């Protein structure tokens, strides 16, 4: 998972790009990068680490220009090579810079075609570089010395014809403008907005609306599936649908976990969606466990708080904050190796004994992926003196890997893969486990009558991949690339190569 941003301004954009990356930091903590454009000249700074660590005053001073891109990359296990940091650049044609969030499911085929037919060379194993070169080739074959927005749109249409998977991207051509586009299924989010200044109208394209809000931009719209949005250097906005049969199918896991609660994605409030998840989970508890003996509802901070509070209110049960979170520990389900992951849970959370002692506790989390965190949390609750420990997930069982840009583990490392809910409950060590039903989750996220969402990508729950091209062979290779053993081997080699599936 990554965060992307592009700005066409009237004044220097370096500070605004940096501020936007801080707001989008939750989407990626592994690497950060900014490219600015000063006339025809590009200025680049990118490296591994958080945005606050990558960009110092001396770097910001050098990032001159009124147009630019930014990127934050999520911590893919074993990736230690700063060459994988984005944005990427290709000099032919015109010089193009790209930042990408997502994953191309036909990356291997595209890589071969780029080398054999398009005569293009790749410097990394990143599918983001593949996406950049596909766009560059589609623009180059038009054979024009000077291009306009129609040429950009034709090149994006070529990308949609050739590329499969989930992708949202923003690209920049020096002296010409910035373009943002989204795959024909709209799996990964991207929005655009504007703000009025004394010098004129400025535009921003970003992964989430919260980046617009905090910098004073007014949200104009989500980039539609298959659509391209282009802003030229003079600040003129152009849009076009570039895909033949777009179907809006956003990733439902964005609403469950990844997106900030103050974001709006495809006209759906993430906060409101999580509130509805809590109410629907409470309704299920009333339905299947009417005589429950829950004394207190305690969330796993931070993303489950909204659902847990609404669940407690709906059940008429006390709500309490029972865990204190260390905010400087990365997300555990994408950390390298089980030993590191288990140690990290204890570093990340600490229980407040008074909230657990002699109580029947219902712990609520947004989802259960590997189960590592959940196991340790259950144990921490027991050590804190809980009489009984029940566990509830605001999402259904995660049984299948994500192939569209979230580096979830191999299927065999998912705690619910080929296990019943009773099996998972025993694995976690809980006294009872309650999962959200998939239909309830979809209805919680879907804002009836007000959202244009045709369907959601819920493949991690039901194995139905919306792009229709994910085969058993592909999933097998994905498992080979993503299992802990493979990641630890790559980390040990220090080569920083993480595979085409895990680059964005």
């Amino acid at each position: 998972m990554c965060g992307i941003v592009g700005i066409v301004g009237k004044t220097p954009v370096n500070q605004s790009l940096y501020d936007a990356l801080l707001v989008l930091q939750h989407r990626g903590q592994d690497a950060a990068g900014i490219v600015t454009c000063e006339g025809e000249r590009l200025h680049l700074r990118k490296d591994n680490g958080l945005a606050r660590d990558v960009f110092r005053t001396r770097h910001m001073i050098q990032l001159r220009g009124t147009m630019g891109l930014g990127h934050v990359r999520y911590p893919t296990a074993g990736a230690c090579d700063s060459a994988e940091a984005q944005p990427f650049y290709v000099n032919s044609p015109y010089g193009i810079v790209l930042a990408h969030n997502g994953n191309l499911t036909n990356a291997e085929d595209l890589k071969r075609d780029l080398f054999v037919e398009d005569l293009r060379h790749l410097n990394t194993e990143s599918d983001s570089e593949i996406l950049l070169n596909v766009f560059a080739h589609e623009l180059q074959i038009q054979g024009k010395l000077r291009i306009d927005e129609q040429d950009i749109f034709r090149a994006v249409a070529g990308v949609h014809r050739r590329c499969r998977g989930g992708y949202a991207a923003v690209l920049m051509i020096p002296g010409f403008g910035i373009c943002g586009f989204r795959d024909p299924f709209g799996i990964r989010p991207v929005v655009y907005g504007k703000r009025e200044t004394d010098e004129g109208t400025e535009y921003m394209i970003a992964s989430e609306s919260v980046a617009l809000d905090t910098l004073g931009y007014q949200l104009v719209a989500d980039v539609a599936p298959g659509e391209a949005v282009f802003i030229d250097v003079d600040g003129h906005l152009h849009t076009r649908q570039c895909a033949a049969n777009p179907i809006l199918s956003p990733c439902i896991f964005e609403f469950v976990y990844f997106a900030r609660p103050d974001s709006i994605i495809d006209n759906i409030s993430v906060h409101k969606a999580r509130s509805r998840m809590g109410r629907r989970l409470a309704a299920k508890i009333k339905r299947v466990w009417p005589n429950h003996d829950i004394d207190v509802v305690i969330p796993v901070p931070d993303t489950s708080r909204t659902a847990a509070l609404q669940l407690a209110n709906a059940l008429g049960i006390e709500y309490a904050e029972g865990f204190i979170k260390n905010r400087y520990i990365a997300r555990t389900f994408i950390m390298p190796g089980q030993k590191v992951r288990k140690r990290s849970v204890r570093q990340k959370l600490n229980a407040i004994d008074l909230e657990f002692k002699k109580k029947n506790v219902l712990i609520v989390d947004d989802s259960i992926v590997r189960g590592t965190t959940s196991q340790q949390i259950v144990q921490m609750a027991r050590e804190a003196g809980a009489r009984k420990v029940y566990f509830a997930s605001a999402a259904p069982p995660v049984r299948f890997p994500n192939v569209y840009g979230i580096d979830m583990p191999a299927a065999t490392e998912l705690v619910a893969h080929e296990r019943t809910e009773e099996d998972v409950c025993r694995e976690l060590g809980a006294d009872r486990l309650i999962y959200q039903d998939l239909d309830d989750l979809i209805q919680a996220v879907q804002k009836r009558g007000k959202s244009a969402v045709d369907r959601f990508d819920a493949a991690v729950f039901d194995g139905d991949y919306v792009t229709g091209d994910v085969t058993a062979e592909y999933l097998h290779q994905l498992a080979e690339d993503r299992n802990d053993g493979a990641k630890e081997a790559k980390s040990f080699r220090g080569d920083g190569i993480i595979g085409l599936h895990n680059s964005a």
Side-chain angles (χ1 to χ4, degrees):
M1 188 62 62
C2 298
I4 60 175
V5 60
I7 298 177
V8 178
K10 299 297 183 180
T11 57
V13 296
N14 52 354
Q15 186 65 52
S16 292
L17 288 168
Y18 174 78
D19 292 343
L21 292 186
L22 291 182
V23 175
L24 296 172
Q25 189 75 82
H26 63 285
R27 300 188 68 85
Q29 303 92 46
D30 186 49
I34 290 176
V35 175
T36 58
C37 181
E38 182 185 27
E40 298 289 334
R41 187 173 182 181
L42 295 174
H43 304 282
L44 166 67
R45 168 63 181 171
K46 63 178 182 177
D47 203 352
N48 288 345
L50 299 172
R52 69 184 184 199
D53 300 321
V54 171
F55 303 104
R56 302 293 185 180
T57 301
R58 65 183 183 275
H59 305 127
M60 297 297 290
I61 292 172
Q62 295 171 356
L63 292 170
R64 299 181 297 274
T66 58
M67 184 169 70
L69 305 184
H71 187 270
V72 285
R73 183 166 175 259
Y74 81 114
T76 308
C80 57
D81 189 348
S82 60
E84 299 280 344
Q86 296 185 40
F88 284 126
Y89 171 78
V90 66
N91 65 354
S92 177
Y94 316 112
I96 306 171
V97 185
L98 177 139
H100 164 231
N101 172 34
N103 178 62
L104 303 181
T105 53
N106 64 334
E108 291 291 349
D109 294 337
L110 289 170
K111 185 178 181 181
R112 182 176 57 252
D113 293 344
L114 284 168
F115 180 75
V116 175
E117 298 179 12
D118 300 348
L119 303 180
R120 286 187 167 269
H121 176 72
L122 300 174
N123 297 304
T124 71
E125 294 295 318
S126 171
D127 62 347
S128 301
E129 190 185 13
I130 293 173
L131 185 67
L132 169 60
N133 276 273
V134 170
F135 175 86
H137 177 76
E138 292 297 320
L139 193 58
Q140 187 170 30
I141 60 176
Q142 298 181 48
K144 298 177 69 173
L145 293 176
R146 296 186 63 84
I147 57 174
D148 58 26
E149 65 275 5
Q150 301 307 320
D151 302 312
I152 295 288
F153 294 148
R154 281 190 286 269
V156 173
V159 169
H160 292 332
R161 286 192 299 270
R162 296 179 62 180
C163 296
R164 299 289 179 269
Y167 52 89
V170 59
L171 60 86
M172 177 173 66
I173 301 177
F176 186 57
I178 283 180
C179 176
F181 60 92
R182 194 177 184 190
D183 72 81
F185 294 91
I187 297 170
R188 301 265 71 87
V190 62
V191 300
Y192 64 102
K194 64 179 181 179
R195 69 179 177 187
E196 301 299 333
T197 70
D198 293 339
E199 291 79 15
T201 304
E202 299 182 326
Y203 285 91
M204 177 191 288
I205 302 170
S207 289
E208 293 185 34
S209 63
V210 66
L212 305 178
D213 299 338
T214 56
L215 274 77
Y217 284 79
Q218 178 185 358
L219 174 65
V220 174
D222 296 85
V223 177
E227 185 182 32
V229 174
F230 177 72
I231 303 108
D232 63 33
V233 290
D234 296 321
H236 299 129
L237 174 69
H238 312 268
T239 66
R240 174 180 284 188
Q241 177 54 253
C242 299
N245 298 295
I247 302 174
L248 182 55
S249 308
C251 174
I252 204 166
F253 215 72
E254 289 276 357
F255 299 91
V256 170
Y257 179 64
F258 271 104
R260 273 184 44 153
D262 45 347
S263 284
I264 297 173
I265 298 175
D266 293 313
N267 199 33
I268 299 171
S269 164
V270 176
H271 171 74
K272 288 293 187 182
R274 290 176 183 169
S275 294
R276 292 189 290 266
M277 290 177 206
R279 290 196 293 271
R280 288 192 172 271
L281 191 55
K284 179 175 180 179
I285 291 174
K286 289 179 180 179
R287 186 172 66 250
V288 304
W289 192 16
N291 299 318
H292 67 79
D293 57 351
I294 303 166
D295 296 319
V296 62
V297 173
I298 293 178
V300 178
D302 288 311
T303 48
S304 63
R305 280 196 172 105
T306 304
L309 180 58
Q310 292 300 321
L311 183 150
N313 289 338
L315 293 180
I317 297 174
E318 178 188 355
Y319 170 90
E321 292 285 344
F323 294 104
I324 299 301
K325 182 178 181 181
N326 178 353
R327 300 182 183 278
Y328 305 99
I329 300 294
R331 288 165 170 165
T332 53
F333 79 78
I334 46 180
M335 295 184 95
Q338 192 73 352
K339 291 181 180 179
V340 175
R341 206 173 289 116
K342 286 183 177 180
R343 184 171 68 248
S344 175
V345 175
R346 290 284 179 162
Q347 293 171 337
K348 183 170 69 171
L349 295 175
N350 190 45
I352 302 174
D353 292 1
L354 290 175
E355 300 295 349
F356 293 89
K357 196 169 184 179
K358 297 181 180 180
K359 295 179 182 179
N360 297 336
V361 179
L362 176 64
I363 298 172
V364 179
D365 206 351
D366 50 72
S367 58
I368 304 170
V369 182
R370 291 180 184 269
T372 306
T373 301
S374 304
Q375 286 174 337
Q376 300 244 335
I377 286 172
V378 169
Q379 183 59 34
M380 289 166 65
R382 294 198 188 282
E383 292 172 359
R387 185 185 300 113
K388 291 183 180 179
V389 181
Y390 308 124
F391 207 95
S393 168
V398 177
R399 302 188 190 279
F400 304 92
N402 183 282
V403 302
Y404 301 128
I406 301 174
D407 186 31
M408 283 186 175
T412 54
E413 294 168 2
L414 298 168
V415 69
H417 180 69
E418 295 185 347
R419 282 193 176 106
T420 66
E421 293 185 17
E422 291 75 17
D423 292 336
V424 176
C425 185
R426 284 192 293 271
E427 186 73 16
L428 301 186
D431 293 295
R432 185 158 186 160
L433 174 64
I434 303 98
Y435 275 111
Q436 183 91 263
D437 292 336
L438 181 55
D439 287 345
D440 283 340
L441 175 64
I442 291 172
Q443 291 179 37
V445 178
Q446 176 73 68
K447 192 168 59 170
R448 294 295 181 189
K450 298 180 181 179
S451 173
V453 174
D454 299 304
R455 60 176 293 190
F456 290 97
D457 168 53
V460 295
F461 306 122
D462 62 10
D464 182 10
Y465 296 96
V466 296
T467 54
D469 63 332
V470 178
T471 64
E473 291 76 15
Y474 180 86
L475 292 175
H476 174 75
Q477 185 58 51
L478 197 69
E480 291 295 309
D481 294 340
R482 287 187 177 181
N483 68 70
D484 276 348
K487 289 178 178 179
E488 288 173 359
K490 290 170 185 174
S491 180
F492 177 78
R493 289 199 307 268
D495 58 10
I497 295 174
I498 49 153
L500 294 173
H501 308 300
N502 306 321
S503 62

